[in-house]
């Protein structure tokens, strides 16, 4: 399992290096900004929706979903949580 994580990390670093080389650094910055704002948004929504029992965990996967997809990803996470239970 440890070797798989190193391979995934290496592939991610290669992807980031490719983005830097091809001058698509703006895209990477936008995803990073969306991840930070998305984590703050998920945390805030969890505080507001705690009484209803609807909460999404703040972790790497959820912040990546919000970082790449933006607001539709944020809404999708809460709809999926609502449907799954």
């Amino acid at each position: 399992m440890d070797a798989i994580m190193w391979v995934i990390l290496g592939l991610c670093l290669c992807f980031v290096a490719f983005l830097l080389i091809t001058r698509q650094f703006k895209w990477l910055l936008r995803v990073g900004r969306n991840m930070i704002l998305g984590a703050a948004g998920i945390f805030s929504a969890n505080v507001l929706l705690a009484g209803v029992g609807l909460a999404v965990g703040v972790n790497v996967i959820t912040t990546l979903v919000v970082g790449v997809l933006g607001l539709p990803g944020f809404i999708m996470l809460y709809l999926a949580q609502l449907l799954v239970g």
Side-chain angles (χ1 to χ4, degrees), residues 11-70:
L11 289 173
C12 289
L13 289 175
C14 287
F15 179 68
V16 169
F18 173 76
L19 288 177
L20 292 174
I21 291 170
T22 58
R23 301 196 189 274
Q24 293 184 1
F25 191 65
K26 289 181 182 180
W27 182 83
L28 189 62
L29 287 175
R30 186 174 59 237
V31 169
R33 182 197 65 211
N34 286 348
M35 286 176 64
I36 292 169
L37 292 173
I42 291 171
F43 180 76
S44 299
N46 284 344
V47 169
L48 293 173
L49 297 173
V52 181
L54 187 63
V56 172
V58 180
N59 56 40
V60 175
I61 301 299
T62 57
T63 55
L64 276 174
V65 167
V66 175
V68 174
L69 298 178

